Amino acid sequence: MSEKYLLQADNTFIDMNMCKYILGVLLGMYILFSPKVGNAVVSEDEHETFNTVDYVFEHVGDSYEWHFFTINDFHATIPLPVILYSKYSGWHFFMSNKFHYSEAGFPFHISDEGKNKGKIVEILENGSEFVPFDFSLTRAIVGLLLASLILILVTFRTAKLASRNINQKPTGLQNLIEPIIIFIRDDVAKPFAGEKYKRYLPFLLTLFTFILVANILGLVLPLGINITGNIAITMVLALFTFLITTFSGNKHYWKHIFNPEAPWYMKSPVLPLMQFIEVSGMLIKPIILMIRLFANMLSGHMIIAVLIGLIFLMSAMYGIVAGIGTSIISIIFSVFIVLLDLLVSFIQAYIFAVLTAMYFGMATEKGH
Amino acid sequence: MFLLPHLGTIIWTTIIFGIVAFILGKYAWKPLLRAIHERERYIDISLRKAKSAREMLSNLKQEQEVILKQTRHNKSELLKEGTVQRDKIIADAKEKARTDAEKIIADAHKRVQKEREEALVDMRKQITTLSIDIATKVVGADMKDKERHEQMVKKLVEDIELN
């Protein structure tokens, strides 16, 4: 029943997702491989340059500073803290604007090229580059903190309200949060997470709301943060699922992996292979979770970045009028994509929670 | 570039998500889930109570109807009985009055008869006395006027007879 449920959910949105991917791929290919464009576009007066690839990557990737917009020479940027540990020089703590106004002899800078592109490197005394451990509060982490803060504020307020009017009509925020809780409890945890669903309910609720808030926060364009489209973040979420699944695995679960029920003469030749496949499956499940959320959110962000980048590209290539003309189309498409991503945000949070619940359910299922 | 997870991000995310999951689990979801559960239980109990109250009410109504019916029945029965009783009482009274009257009349008759007899006896006694007196007077007195005596006796007897 659960499989069917999921397939249905995926099928319904496959068409919309396909449209999005095709659109994204076409636009991306046009920008990246157009013979006229190349990597960098230099306009006629040689002053304004526009590098589309860098523009898109800067907007969907992570960054050491929080950049909003640039008007001529004015950069609206919030510097973020950089925390480094180098085995040569120990711990370092400074704000990211130091990269721009660095005094002479400052050993750290963000590498522009080579295999360390985008990373913070330390120039050692002998002139060679060294990559220190980087615990900086990057833009994605700040976004994550923001999402956590919003989530904590909202849920705490709701919890306070709920414990104040027990056995009464829900008021205010309760009407927003309680349906989500009931939805997760009745439509995610109860049907998928098995008999002991109550034990996993708080985690599933945190997972769903956390992903949802992070997804939606990432869609707020002026903030320009890509939170759940960052593979490290989705990796951690999937890792939590994986660890909880593995540690709640009962005898039946492990027996199914290492010694599946089958006649000995059938399984003995292929048992190592079966074990290998099952163990791979154990690992692949969270990896799928990680990739699915990451790819979905990244693609949405990338399309929006490409669409917006197109305005500047056209403006740089064919003048300001072309830019304005393109902006009309770009904005219409962007609005469509943002709305689609809003839907995707809910769906991905839901799918992540449902799959997690299913893995928990599998791990705690009793033998038949 | 996007497919390589950044170690710093992993560590920060683990810390942040771990703390958020712990805090929310303890201070947000727990009271919220309890409140929701509590409310659901309350609604459930209230609904059940309402149902039983409704049932009780309908039972009461039925009972009421039964009682009403019975009362109505009793009333007509009583009325009927009352009528019968009344008729009987009246009939009895009439009967009694009749017998009483008859008895009174009979008594009166008896008494009249008796008085009459007594009167007759008394009269006879007086007649005798009178006759003796008269005879004494007649015998003792001067029988000068025979015709007058005869007339007087005759008149006396006539008087007696009249009585």
Side-chain angles (χ1 to χ4, degrees):
Chain A
M1 174 243 166
S2 52
E3 294 272 330
K4 211 174 122 196
Y5 207 102
L6 266 179
L7 281 175
Q8 236 176 7
D10 267 3
N11 274 338
T12 320
F13 302 108
I14 205 156
D15 292 341
M16 283 203 201
N17 268 327
M18 281 298 276
C19 287
K20 199 174 80 172
Y21 289 132
I22 291 167
L23 192 65
V25 167
L26 285 178
L27 278 169
M29 286 204 345
Y30 171 71
I31 287 159
L32 297 177
F33 301 113
S34 167
K36 260 188 170 175
V37 184
N39 264 358
V41 175
V42 183
S43 70
E44 280 155 21
D45 55 5
E46 300 266 326
H47 288 301
E48 284 179 53
T49 60
F50 187 75
N51 189 326
T52 323
V53 177
D54 282 355
Y55 175 83
V56 171
F57 276 28
E58 193 219 305
H59 276 82
V60 299
D62 207 353
S63 165
Y64 291 100
E65 57 189 15
W66 195 351
H67 178 226
F68 294 96
F69 57 88
T70 297
I71 299 171
N72 295 330
D73 282 337
F74 174 72
H75 300 275
T77 302
I78 296 175
L80 301 173
V82 176
I83 304 160
L84 298 170
Y85 176 74
S86 159
K87 61 179 172 181
Y88 296 104
S89 52
W91 289 95
H92 295 272
F93 179 87
F94 54 90
M95 298 307 281
S96 64
N97 55 358
K98 220 170 174 183
F99 290 126
H100 299 296
Y101 316 105
S102 57
E103 57 261 40
F106 186 64
F108 300 104
H109 71 97
I110 300 167
S111 180
D112 295 327
E113 57 209 335
K115 65 177 169 73
N116 295 331
K117 187 170 186 252
K119 289 180 185 167
I120 294 175
V121 290
E122 186 180 8
I123 307 293
L124 299 175
E125 277 165 18
N126 58 17
S128 62
E129 276 188 354
F130 168 72
V131 182
F133 285 116
D134 179 7
F135 303 109
S136 305
L137 286 171
T138 57
R139 195 169 59 178
I141 295 300
V142 170
L144 208 62
L145 281 169
L146 211 60
S148 309
L149 201 70
I150 290 169
L151 193 58
I152 287 172
L153 283 178
V154 169
T155 50
F156 270 45
R157 212 170 141 56
T158 316
K160 211 170 152 192
L161 270 175
S163 37
R164 198 189 306 148
N165 41 10
I166 275 190
N167 291 349
Q168 278 174 23
K169 197 167 77 85
T171 53
L173 274 174
Q174 272 184 284
N175 290 319
L176 176 72
I177 302 300
E178 287 189 359
I180 294 175
I181 296 173
I182 292 168
F183 166 68
I184 293 293
R185 191 192 60 184
D186 293 348
D187 294 331
V188 175
K190 247 184 214 169
F192 298 119
E195 286 167 17
K196 296 174 182 169
Y197 76 93
K198 272 188 183 150
R199 209 202 300 170
Y200 304 114
L201 199 47
F203 177 73
L204 290 172
L205 281 167
T206 309
L207 201 62
F208 178 79
T209 48
F210 192 80
I211 294 171
L212 185 63
V213 172
N215 283 352
I216 290 172
L217 199 66
L219 284 181
V220 182
L221 284 181
L223 298 179
I225 327 167
N226 182 13
I227 306 167
T228 37
N230 186 314
I231 199 160
I233 289 168
T234 59
M235 186 190 209
V236 171
L237 297 175
L239 203 68
F240 271 90
T241 296
F242 172 72
L243 289 176
I244 294 174
T245 310
T246 308
F247 283 111
S248 29
N250 59 11
K251 219 170 88 183
H252 175 74
Y253 175 72
W254 291 114
K255 191 173 177 297
H256 179 75
I257 287 172
F258 290 110
N259 190 17
E261 270 175 47
W264 64 270
Y265 51 87
M266 279 180 80
K267 75 179 173 188
S268 56
V270 289
L271 191 59
L273 187 66
M274 283 168 90
Q275 286 171 345
F276 174 73
I277 290 169
E278 286 292 342
V279 171
S280 309
M282 233 173 87
L283 300 170
I284 285 168
K285 279 175 199 160
I287 291 172
I288 288 169
L289 280 183
M290 169 178 89
I291 303 275
R292 188 201 299 272
L293 180 59
F294 158 72
N296 267 283
M297 296 324 288
L298 181 74
S299 66
H301 280 260
M302 207 175 250
I303 293 168
I304 291 164
V306 167
L307 282 169
I308 302 297
L310 204 60
I311 301 169
F312 300 109
L313 180 73
M314 286 299 183
S315 180
M317 274 172 72
Y318 305 112
I320 196 85
V321 179
I324 291 167
T326 314
S327 70
I328 296 167
I329 301 163
S330 282
I331 286 168
I332 291 168
F333 271 104
S334 298
V335 168
F336 170 68
I337 296 294
V338 167
L339 291 177
L340 191 62
D341 269 355
L342 194 63
L343 186 66
V344 171
S345 298
F346 278 94
I347 294 163
Q348 289 309 317
Y350 170 68
I351 288 178
F352 205 108
V354 166
L355 286 174
T356 300
M358 278 175 71
Y359 299 158
F360 292 166
M362 283 177 200
T364 53
E365 197 181 21
K366 287 204 178 72
H368 357 264
Chain B
M1 176 184 178
F2 296 118
L3 283 171
L4 278 178
H6 187 258
L7 183 66
T9 313
I10 291 174
I11 290 166
W12 277 117
T13 311
T14 311
I15 295 167
I16 292 169
F17 185 73
I19 290 171
V20 167
F22 175 75
I23 289 180
L24 289 190
K26 194 159 184 192
Y27 300 109
W29 304 133
K30 216 168 150 191
L32 276 169
L33 284 168
R34 200 178 46 220
I36 289 172
H37 182 254
E38 198 64 26
R39 190 186 309 129
E40 277 168 354
R41 210 172 54 92
Y42 180 70
I43 289 171
D44 195 41
I45 289 171
S46 301
L47 282 177
R48 232 178 294 155
K49 267 188 192 160
K51 200 184 160 204
S52 70
R54 226 179 5 248
E55 266 167 21
M56 215 191 270
L57 203 70
S58 74
N59 278 354
L60 277 179
K61 237 178 212 163
Q62 271 175 358
E63 243 168 74
Q64 193 193 32
E65 247 159 55
V66 168
I67 289 170
L68 218 67
K69 225 183 202 171
Q70 211 162 1
T71 315
R72 239 178 250 138
H73 184 251
N74 279 359
K75 190 183 109 187
S76 63
E77 199 95 311
L78 276 176
L79 273 176
K80 223 188 269 171
E81 216 169 283
T83 317
V84 169
Q85 207 112 20
R86 188 193 65 189
D87 288 352
K88 198 174 164 238
I89 287 168
I90 290 173
D92 282 1
K94 267 185 185 164
E95 181 67 31
K96 199 164 180 274
R98 206 165 53 86
T99 49
D100 278 3
E102 268 170 12
K103 204 179 158 202
I104 289 167
I105 291 168
D107 280 358
H109 267 293
K110 254 184 216 163
R111 196 177 288 160
V112 167
Q113 196 74 27
K114 206 177 156 194
E115 276 176 6
R116 201 170 144 221
E117 274 166 17
E118 275 173 8
L120 273 176
V121 170
D122 200 38
M123 208 168 72
R124 280 205 187 100
K125 227 189 238 174
Q126 272 188 352
I127 288 174
T128 316
T129 322
L130 277 174
S131 299
I132 293 164
D133 279 355
I134 293 164
T136 315
K137 270 178 189 169
V138 170
V139 176
D142 204 335
M143 298 270 252
K144 287 172 194 168
D145 201 345
K146 207 184 171 182
E147 242 177 311
R148 221 178 74 202
H149 287 297
E150 274 172 13
Q151 262 179 347
M152 203 164 56
V153 170
K154 206 182 178 179
K155 204 183 167 226
L156 281 167
V157 173
E158 259 174 15
D159 276 354
I160 294 159
E161 267 175 4
L162 274 171
N163 278 325

